[in-house]
Amino acid sequence: MYNILICDDDQDIINALKIYLSDMNYNLFEANDGITAIQVMEREDIHLVLMDITMPEVDGIHAL
């Protein structure tokens, strides 16, 4: 099973992506900012990251 991290500061976008991906039996993780995304990537074996690049605190490019 694949682990996917969805990171966006807009919760509506996260929710929409989770709707599309939840039927595929992926393990979905979410983060609302770059700092949380980094923490998730340190804890979990993430196979795919869907990352917004314009976020407060740490942007998506620096988080990756």
Side-chain angles (χ1 to χ4, degrees):
M1 187 167 295
Y2 293 104
N3 297 328
I4 299 175
L5 170 61
I6 303 169
C7 184
D8 200 301
D9 57 336
D10 185 343
Q11 188 63 43
D12 290 336
I13 292 174
I14 291 175
N15 293 339
L17 289 170
K18 285 172 68 177
I19 288 169
Y20 289 113
L21 296 171
S22 64
D23 290 340
M24 303 295 184
N25 290 327
Y26 297 127
N27 288 324
L28 301 176
F29 299 87
E30 66 179 81
N32 296 100
D33 57 62
I35 294 170
T36 306
I38 291 168
Q39 293 169 345
V40 172
M41 289 185 280
E42 289 174 343
R43 280 194 324 265
E44 305 293 338
D45 184 25
I46 300 297
H47 299 104
L48 175 68
V49 178
L50 303 175
M51 177 86 67
D52 181 14
I53 59 169
T54 57
M55 292 182 297
E57 303 294 325
V58 176
D59 65 38
I61 293 172
H62 287 96
L64 289 176

